[in-house]
Amino acid sequence: MDYAATTPPHPDVVEAMLPYLKEKFGNPSSLHSFGQEAKAAVEEGRKQVANLINCQPEEIVFTSGGTESNNFAIHGVIHKLKPNKNHIITSKIEHHAILEPCHFLEKEGPAPDGAGAGFKVTYLDVDEDGLVNPEDVRAAITDKTALVSIMHANNEIGTIEPIKEIAKITKEKGVYFHTDAVQTVGQIDVDVADLGVDLLSASAHKFYGPKGIGFIYIKKGTRMTQFLRGGSQERNRRASTENVPGIVAIGKAAEIAKTELSERIKKTTELREMLFNGLLEKIPDIRINGHRTKRLPKNAAIIVKYVEGESMLLNLDLEGIAASTGSACSSGSLEASHVIRAIGTSPEDSHGSIRFSLGRLNTKEEVKYVLEVFPKIVQKLRAMSPLRRK
Amino acid sequence: MPEAYSNKVMEHFKNPRNVGELENPDGTGHVGNPVCGDIMEMYIKVKDNVITDAKFKTFGCGAAIATSSMATELIKGKTIEEALSVTNKAVAEALGGLPPVKMHCSVLAEDALKSAIDDYLKKTTGKGLPGFKPHDHTH
């Protein structure tokens, strides 16, 4: 139950990409028929992805995944609009693939030619459910602001951000708006026209595609520098020979997602509620982490008091259950995750964060099994916890 | 989980020895804090300078639980002097090694043990363990 970390590739996706690993190995840039066959496959994949998020095929640029797409969005916009615009607004609960490029830009300091100050980044606070307040975005925008980047839904706590509301503000102020939709594409309805964003990142392996392939939606007319320089692939926006099997795979995964979407939402919501209700009923002193209703159907994040995340994960793993934690001890950093801290969780509680995340292959029986096993694990660990009686 | 734990660590994690508290302990150690995510409490019974029983309670990761368990095992039946020579390295070695990022858990176990002995000495001799100062576990 760790579908937010990654998903098993759909069998039809694997089937679709196989020929492009074998006999259909052509380079889409070649003019001969092998190349043109590959090029046609790439363009078909682009159409399928565009169809899933409701945009034009030429607005899709394929990348190596969510991290690259996020880096592309940040660097692509800021380097195009500098030095007149040097300010980025984001939130404290973004993925590292947004936060780290921002930290990097901040450290770069003033431009060597002295034309303008260094890059500045505003990291907006969130409330205890992890929600960004759109009015905080409005208040943070200055005439130097180039880009606002707020994630569609948070990977740890599942909270869905008010993207449409923020988009209205960025449009009004003439500022570009990027959303990291790695956790939402293929999971909930993602319609770029409806959301009103200029840029959007996604990754195939979060929606039953393979690893190493993702895309960035770049709304027509958005001014960006090239991210990888070299050949003229992807309409000069991202050099590098296309990952043809990956593109075929993400296209197929997008096509399947489109047809399965309502079923996926229904199923994961049902399983999540069964899991939440069962856990709340069987285990005292736990609480749901993240917003109760504005949340990803697949995300069941909780805080378990008096016990530490890694020891829960290890015990779950011994019972054949995969989950995830934002506790310090899992990362080696000795600090609880930035998301858990940003929503104001106390140090004691932050170590007890556990995330179950559901997907298309999970069953009610599996949820029942977790509900049978997990309360015993918590009981065992609490029996040895010195925090319990305090 | 940053690195795989040894079989011995997993064995002690799955079946920790000496979990719980002692009634009227002769020494109690309390180290760590919730910010760093590890808290250990150690209880000892001492008779004729020999540790006859030891128990622990730990809030922490797999390594924290395993090192607490091993530390109590290593000191049972030992004299105070012998127990004081049980270092964090000895605890880690007895567990077949720890991933580097988890070595601090063994330091915590050593501190918990010394803290319990310090408490015992204060109660019996009025003076604590000479030079004992727990490590700063706030990181």
Side-chain angles (χ1 to χ4, degrees), chain A residues 17-79:
Chain A
M17 76 187 289
L18 276 180
Y20 294 90
L21 290 164
K22 294 184 195 166
E23 63 271 19
K24 300 183 180 180
F25 59 86
N27 183 333
S29 297
S30 302
L31 292 176
H32 49 63
S33 52
F34 296 103
Q36 291 314 296
E37 181 182 45
K39 188 170 175 59
V42 166
E43 294 318 313
E44 178 60 22
R46 204 184 304 281
K47 269 189 215 152
Q48 289 164 315
V49 168
N51 191 34
L52 177 63
I53 64 164
N54 190 26
C55 69
Q56 295 304 310
E58 57 271 21
E59 292 174 310
I60 298 292
V61 173
F62 290 112
T63 66
S64 63
T67 293
E68 184 187 323
S69 296
N70 284 342
N71 272 266
F72 191 171
I74 300 280
H75 288 294
V77 168
I78 201 83
H79 287 292

Side-chain angles (χ1 to χ4, degrees), chain A residues 305-308 310-315 317-318 328-332 334-336 347-348 350-352 380-390, chain B residues 1-2 5 10 13-16 19-21 30 33-41 43 56-63 65 101-102 104-105 139:
Chain A
K305 286 179 88 77
Y306 316 123
V307 285
E308 193 277 326
E310 192 211 75
S311 53
M312 287 189 274
L313 279 197
L314 279 174
N315 274 305
D317 191 38
L318 290 170
C329 284
S330 64
S331 60
L334 302 177
E335 254 190 348
E348 285 95 331
S350 71
H351 294 289
K380 179 186 164 182
L381 291 171
R382 279 180 175 170
M384 64 173 103
S385 169
L387 289 176
R388 186 66 201 278
R389 64 186 131 75
K390 281 167 191 167
Chain B
M1 288 161 264
Y5 287 133
M10 283 312 289
F13 171 70
K14 279 191 270 182
N15 304 299
V19 174
E21 294 174 39
H30 183 112
N33 67 62
V35 178
C36 83
D38 290 315
I39 297 172
M40 280 184 201
E41 283 182 3
Y43 310 87
F56 78 91
K57 278 198 151 185
T58 290
F59 165 85
C61 62
I65 290 168
V101 297
K102 298 289 186 181
H104 73 279
C105 294
H139 301 283

Side-chain angles (χ1 to χ4, degrees), chain A residues 11-274:
Chain A
D12 292 352
V13 168
V14 178
E15 200 60 39
M17 76 187 289
L18 276 180
Y20 294 90
L21 290 164
K22 294 184 195 166
E23 63 271 19
K24 300 183 180 180
F25 59 86
N27 183 333
S29 297
S30 302
L31 292 176
H32 49 63
S33 52
F34 296 103
Q36 291 314 296
E37 181 182 45
K39 188 170 175 59
V42 166
E43 294 318 313
E44 178 60 22
R46 204 184 304 281
K47 269 189 215 152
Q48 289 164 315
V49 168
N51 191 34
L52 177 63
I53 64 164
N54 190 26
C55 69
Q56 295 304 310
E58 57 271 21
E59 292 174 310
I60 298 292
V61 173
F62 290 112
T63 66
S64 63
T67 293
E68 184 187 323
S69 296
N70 284 342
N71 272 266
F72 191 171
I74 300 280
H75 288 294
V77 168
I78 201 83
H79 287 292
K80 186 72 181 182
L81 301 188
K82 74 180 182 185
N84 296 328
K85 309 257 184 190
N86 66 353
H87 179 225
I88 295 172
I89 298 167
T90 187
S91 84
K92 287 185 178 165
I93 64 165
E94 298 299 308
H95 192 275
H96 289 296
I98 289 291
L99 296 177
E100 289 307 317
C102 286
H103 294 328
F104 177 78
L105 286 172
E106 281 180 299
K107 273 187 233 152
E108 267 196 348
D113 56 6
F119 298 117
K120 292 194 171 62
V121 184
T122 301
Y123 302 92
L124 296 176
D125 286 323
V126 294
D127 70 11
E128 71 276 8
D129 289 327
L131 282 173
V132 171
N133 182 347
E135 288 310 312
D136 289 350
V137 176
R138 183 193 297 278
I141 293 175
T142 72
D143 57 358
K144 291 283 189 184
T145 307
L147 178 72
V148 173
S149 181
I150 303 291
M151 68 203 321
H152 193 187
N154 183 267
N155 47 313
E156 290 187 37
I157 56 174
T159 298
I160 299 174
E161 300 296 344
I163 299 302
K164 273 171 87 166
E165 286 76 5
I166 297 169
K168 279 189 198 121
I169 294 166
T170 54
K171 193 170 274 179
E172 186 189 309
K173 298 273 190 180
V175 174
Y176 285 143
F177 184 25
H178 166 257
T179 190
D180 172 357
V182 164
Q183 290 291 334
T184 54
V185 169
Q187 317 283 332
I188 58 173
D189 190 32
V190 177
D191 178 327
V192 291
D194 181 53
L195 289 173
V197 295
D198 302 296
L199 299 151
L200 176 143
S201 303
S203 179
H205 79 99
K206 305 286 190 185
F207 61 102
Y208 309 100
K211 292 159 187 68
I213 183 77
F215 69 85
I216 180 169
Y217 155 76
I218 304 176
K219 188 179 175 181
K220 201 173 170 205
T222 305
R223 295 171 64 217
M224 287 178 89
T225 57
Q226 212 178 351
F227 187 52
L228 292 180
R229 293 178 179 82
S232 60
Q233 291 91 350
E234 298 295 278
R235 299 172 160 248
N236 260 326
R237 290 174 296 192
R238 196 241 191 205
S240 178
T241 297
E242 296 85 345
N243 174 358
V244 182
I247 291 168
V248 169
I250 196 173
K252 190 70 188 173
E255 186 190 280
I256 298 169
K258 178 103 182 159
T259 58
E260 282 189 1
L261 197 61
S262 54
E263 194 188 317
R264 282 181 192 174
I265 294 170
K266 186 170 171 281
K267 182 184 172 170
T268 46
T269 304
E270 204 176 294
L271 291 178
R272 183 196 70 197
E273 288 307 303
M274 184 181 161

